[in-house]
Each structure stands twice: as C-alpha cells, then as structure tokens.
Amino acid sequence: MLPLFTRSIKFIIGAGFIFVLLLALIGTVTTLIKEPAQPTAEEEFHKHPKELDLASNGPLGKFDNAQLQRGFLVYEKVCASCHSLNLVSFRDLQQLGYNEAEVKKIAKDWPIKQPVQDPKAGTWGERDNLASDRFPKVYYPGTGSPPDLSLIAKARHDGAAYVHSLLTGYQNQPAELLKKFPTAKTPDGSYYNPYFANLNIAMPPPLTSENQVTYSDGTRATVDQMAKDVSAFLVWTAEPTLQTRHRAGVAVVLFLLFATALAYGAYLTVWRGVKH
C-alpha cells in the first residue's frame, strides 16, 4: 500500500511540474505573439561589411606586393601611432619586395624604439630597432592600448572587408535612428559608424582626405584606395603564408585527382574479363 501511495505522490508532483512548465511556455509564446520583441538600434542599423575584391581572395588568390607596400605605407603613416603590429618582424617586410637595406632603414627610422634595461643601473632606456625585432608595441599609460592589428583580419568576421568598411564607414547619425531611438545618440568623444558592433566607436576617422599619403607608384591615394590597400596589408600580416597554403592545396587536389585516375585504371585492369 505504501509503495503505491509513494508512486502516486511522485506522479502527481511530476504532473504538476510539467503543468507549470506548460503554463510558462504558453504564457511566453502568447506574450511574444501579442508583444513581439522590438529590435534594438544596433540590430536595426548595424551593417554587414561591403564586399572587397582583393588579389588574395579565393582558393587561388595570391598577394599583390605593390598593393601590400602601399598598405604598409598607410599603416606606417596613419595607423602605427596608435596600433601595434607586434607579431610581425621588420625583416618580414622582405616578403613584400623590400630589400635588406630598405628593411634596416625602416627599422632604424621607426619612431617607436625598443625598450632596453641597464642591468647595472636598473633603469630603462631605448635603442634603435633592428631588422630582427618585431614592430614595437604602442602604449598609452593609464588608458590601455588600442587593439594590435597583427591578426585583426583573422579576428574579425569578413576580415579585410570589415576593416575596409569600418575605415570608410564614418558618417553622421541617420535622422531615422534618432527618431526611433532618441537615447541612442552618439556620446561625446565617440563617432558613428554603422559597421562597428555597437554603432559608436572611440577611434576618430583615420582616413580623412585624399593624398593623406603619397604613393611612389603613382596610384591615386583616395580614401577608398588607402582603406583597400591597408586592408590587403593586414590580410598579409594575419596570414603571411597564405600563398604557400593555396599552392599546397592545389597540389594536394591535383594529386588526389591523379591518384583517383590511377586507382580507377587499376580497378578496370584487375576486373577486366571478369563476368558479373
């Protein structure tokens, strides 16, 4: 008798628990139907990156060294004062077509020097960069540092397209946004950019005018062109072995096709004349 009573109690408790869950589910669904969740300003006005056509795109893509050198110039003249490139060595620039002497000069003339410590005095000093050094870190004492750009093209969805869209996407807040979301006004010290996650970014527009840098190959340095070039350069910093990986992938595919043809030929030879 007691076991039966115990089982009945368990059944009643379980049924009651399921009933409560069903009521909660029905209430939630009913609320969502009557009062659907309203999109936030970020959800409604955030834009996905624009498509960006680079030579490195696709499984057969390869780097355009002329563009990478232009992109490095944009980084050097515009971005380097705020953003580090600490996973890249100066000597890696030889992959872009710079010779050894040019790399040594770039390293020596770089405005941020390498910190060194005097073991005897226990004080810190500076020395010129060597070709074997990585690009020195940029520090902002007390406020932190802007993100390092070494891997930014891999760390962000759509990589180079995101960088290009962000750099060219600064604009005034749309009147429609302020009308629908009055409290979403861009705060002082920030800038509206629909390609940034929360629409407002602390970084001022870095590319503001044509010919902000001077390209030695005669390419017209428009804002769009500079953004495109530096985006291509950051693809290289994030994956300098991209061309090697692409070549290896093509070689593997060709080998597999060849091996498949050989295997099929062997199959026909072995089973030739055998009746099924």
Side-chain angles (χ1 to χ4, degrees), residues 229-263:
D229 292 340
V230 77
S231 299
F233 172 70
L234 293 175
V235 171
W236 172 79
T237 65
E239 194 171 6
T241 60
L242 178 142
Q243 292 184 144
T244 303
R245 179 170 59 81
H246 285 179
R247 286 195 295 265
V250 170
V252 169
V253 170
L254 292 176
F255 171 77
L256 291 176
L257 291 175
F258 179 68
T260 301
L262 286 179

Side-chain angles (χ1 to χ4, degrees), residues 33-211:
I33 294 174
K34 292 181 178 179
E35 301 176 8
Q38 297 299 315
T40 63
E42 291 82 359
E43 292 172 339
E44 186 166 343
F45 288 89
H46 179 262
K47 294 182 179 180
H48 293 289
K50 300 171 287 186
E51 291 188 10
L52 181 63
D53 182 26
L54 295 177
S56 57
N57 289 352
L60 301 179
K62 57 182 181 180
F63 291 123
D64 178 352
N65 279 357
Q67 182 175 52
L68 296 186
Q69 289 190 17
R70 295 196 302 269
F72 170 66
L73 181 65
V74 175
Y75 168 75
E76 178 185 14
K77 301 300 183 184
V78 179
C79 310
S81 59
C82 297
H83 293 277
S84 302
L85 206 64
N86 197 237
L87 298 182
V88 181
S89 298
F90 286 99
R91 62 186 173 191
D92 292 336
L93 296 176
Q94 293 185 58
Q95 298 177 31
L96 309 187
Y98 293 103
N99 59 42
E100 186 177 350
E102 290 173 326
V103 170
K104 287 182 178 180
K105 187 176 188 308
I106 291 171
K108 183 177 180 180
D109 294 344
W110 202 256
I112 302 176
K113 306 302 180 181
Q114 291 290 335
V116 292
Q117 185 178 24
D118 184 343
K120 294 182 180 179
T123 58
W124 285 88
E126 293 181 337
R127 66 163 174 81
D128 288 339
N129 296 290
L130 303 175
S132 58
D133 290 325
R134 293 182 177 182
F135 283 83
K137 290 183 179 180
V138 180
Y139 290 101
Y140 284 80
T143 61
S145 301
D148 184 278
L149 297 183
S150 304
L151 300 176
I152 197 70
K154 299 284 282 186
R156 297 291 185 271
H157 182 63
D158 288 327
Y162 167 79
V163 174
H164 175 264
S165 297
L166 185 74
L167 292 175
T168 57
Y170 288 87
Q171 56 188 262
N172 294 325
Q173 275 189 302
E176 182 184 359
L177 184 152
L178 295 176
K179 183 178 180 181
K180 293 185 68 173
F181 304 96
T183 60
K185 187 178 185 302
T186 298
D188 292 340
S190 294
Y191 304 84
Y192 179 76
N193 192 317
Y195 297 100
F196 194 64
N198 67 357
L199 305 180
N200 301 307
I201 185 171
M203 179 178 70
L207 301 175
T208 56
S209 61
E210 187 172 332
N211 297 322

